Amino acid sequence: MASSGSGAMEAAVSNFTTEGDEIAVIVGGKFGQRWQQINQAYLNRVHTLEVEWGEAVSPEKISDFLSDKPNCKAIFFQASETSTGVKLPVREIANHIRSHFRGLIIVDAISYLIAHEMKMDEWGIDVVISGSQKGFGVPAGLSFLAYSDLAFQSLSRRPRFYFDLRKEIANQKSGKSSWTPATSLILSLDKSLENFEAEGYENIFKHHEILAKATRNAIEAMGLELLAKRSPSNTLTAVKLPSSIDGKSLVTNLKEQFGTQFAGGQDSLSGKIIRISHLGLVDVLDMMAMISSFEMGLAMSGYQFEVGLGVKTALNTFISNQH
Ligand SMILES: *Cc1c(COP(=O)(O)O)cnc(C)c1O
């Protein structure tokens, strides 16, 4: 579809639920809140499982949460919560709830795909969503939605217009789209997919795993704490900053002095964390540039640590995981 990722999120809500439906959402960050907001906007009855930002909720907890909500039509969550760097155990969650949960399992994998494997059919996921500008290395403007047979049978009769999946699917089956397609982006995506095929998906997942591991090792060597300690995503790493450092000015300074783009925290995490991406067209030397500039920025902000330890640790991780 021609939209950013949130368009496909909205399409999932408007097409697979109908007004007044009970649904469940897991909210452990900014994007979980988005599932909540879209469902509220469409007048669904929303049950929210609140999770502390940075924590990964266990499949058992989700199962418990759903156990007294037998009428829930769907559960919505993020495979990788980009605001905290947490990865949810998608396969284990599906496995755990499948036996007693009859609703749809709808997963926002916008920042998860390409960095991690996702076998939606085998794992029993009903809807998977992504967007062109994250792992696919294509500019923003294309969103993707994959659906199971169960999801297709569950298409609702709710009024909708632009994102009408029944119409869209019928059109795409005959090689057309409902509306004017974003042709330049589709051509760009075709090229990206060709490159992925040539490199091999196993290698791409491994590449992300090593970039993420090197980044996490570097951060810990510098004496800093990871926000997502238990279940970190290979998409990005969120780092807790010492209380003496203002995260917002650090992000600005790093950009001005070294041209490196970090992301700060959102909402309650604003100023308190810094997020480092390793998704998509990122290589080992890009990561080394990010870690070097982060070290310099921290040292110049007065944080006391052995400068160079992060860089050294990351280099050693890359060397021992040569790929
Ligand atoms: C980026 C992102 C989105 C939203 O995507 P837009 O393309 O900005 O609409 C939704 N969920 C997650 C997890 C994301 O990382």
Side-chain angles (χ1 to χ4, degrees), residues 67-82:
S67 65
D68 59 351
K69 301 172 188 69
N71 298 322
C72 265
K73 288 286 175 59
I75 179 166
F76 296 83
F77 59 90
Q78 270 62 38
S80 174
E81 172 52 79
T82 317

Side-chain angles (χ1 to χ4, degrees), residues 141-155:
L142 284 183
S143 67
F144 316 121
L145 186 152
Y147 55 92
S148 67
D149 290 340
L150 179 64
F152 185 69
Q153 288 154 19
S154 313
L155 282 171

Side-chain angles (χ1 to χ4, degrees), residues 3-7 9 31 34 78-83 108-112 131 133-134 140-141:
S3 76
S4 80
S6 304
M9 292 174 78
F31 293 102
R34 190 163 304 174
Q78 270 62 38
S80 174
E81 172 52 79
T82 317
S83 63
D108 165 1
I110 293 180
S111 73
Y112 178 95
Q133 83 275 25
K134 300 281 170 77

Side-chain angles (χ1 to χ4, degrees), residues 62-310:
I62 297 169
S63 210
D64 281 352
F65 179 74
L66 293 173
S67 65
D68 59 351
K69 301 172 188 69
N71 298 322
C72 265
K73 288 286 175 59
I75 179 166
F76 296 83
F77 59 90
Q78 270 62 38
S80 174
E81 172 52 79
T82 317
S83 63
T84 61
V86 166
K87 177 185 73 177
L88 286 196
V90 180
R91 176 186 205 161
E92 290 75 11
I93 293 171
N95 202 9
H96 214 84
I97 65 178
R98 234 340 143 206
S99 59
H100 55 281
F101 179 67
R102 295 210 316 280
L104 300 176
I105 301 176
I106 301 183
V107 180
D108 165 1
I110 293 180
S111 73
Y112 178 95
L113 288 196
I114 309 303
H116 309 88
E117 179 175 63
M118 162 71 80
K119 295 192 163 171
M120 74 174 284
D121 298 332
E122 199 180 308
W123 299 357
I125 313 296
D126 295 296
V127 178
V128 173
I129 284 162
S130 198
S132 55
Q133 83 275 25
K134 300 281 170 77
F136 293 88
V138 171
L142 284 183
S143 67
F144 316 121
L145 186 152
Y147 55 92
S148 67
D149 290 340
L150 179 64
F152 185 69
Q153 288 154 19
S154 313
L155 282 171
S156 73
R157 296 274 160 204
R158 187 201 284 277
R160 53 187 168 248
F161 189 75
Y162 187 79
F163 296 120
D164 185 341
L165 293 183
R166 199 175 270 114
K167 180 180 161 90
E168 190 65 55
I169 290 163
N171 274 307
Q172 292 199 9
K173 282 202 168 127
S174 59
K176 292 180 290 200
S177 53
S178 293
W179 318 109
T180 309
T183 321
S184 58
L185 298 177
I186 294 170
L187 291 175
S188 171
L189 176 68
D190 191 42
K191 185 65 195 164
S192 268
L193 296 177
E194 198 181 297
N195 293 343
F196 293 156
E197 296 283 334
E199 192 170 344
Y201 286 98
E202 286 306 317
N203 295 330
I204 294 171
F205 303 145
K206 188 82 199 151
H207 173 71
H208 284 90
E209 189 185 316
I210 294 167
L211 294 184
K213 201 198 293 182
T215 308
R216 293 194 291 264
N217 289 349
I219 296 306
E220 291 185 322
M222 290 157 69
L224 295 173
E225 224 182 299
L226 303 169
L227 179 67
K229 278 186 280 291
R230 261 180 288 278
S231 184
S233 170
N234 292 335
T235 299
L236 78 157
T237 297
V239 184
K240 285 193 195 172
L241 293 171
S243 54
S244 59
I245 290 177
D246 169 24
K248 277 194 214 153
S249 32
L250 182 60
V251 169
T252 312
N253 293 343
L254 288 168
K255 174 80 182 167
E256 275 174 8
Q257 294 188 17
F258 309 114
T260 45
Q261 182 73 64
F262 291 78
Q266 295 156 296
D267 291 355
S268 60
L269 293 175
S270 176
K272 295 183 183 150
I273 61 163
I274 202 163
R275 292 176 298 151
I276 309 172
S277 165
H278 16 77
L279 179 64
L281 305 176
V282 178
D283 65 19
V284 168
L285 292 181
D286 293 328
M287 266 353 280
M288 292 317 302
M290 293 302 276
I291 295 166
S292 307
S293 75
F294 187 42
E295 287 208 42
M296 285 192 278
L298 280 176
M300 286 147 75
S301 312
Y303 175 62
Q304 300 282 327
F305 71 114
E306 192 188 322
V307 175
L309 210 48

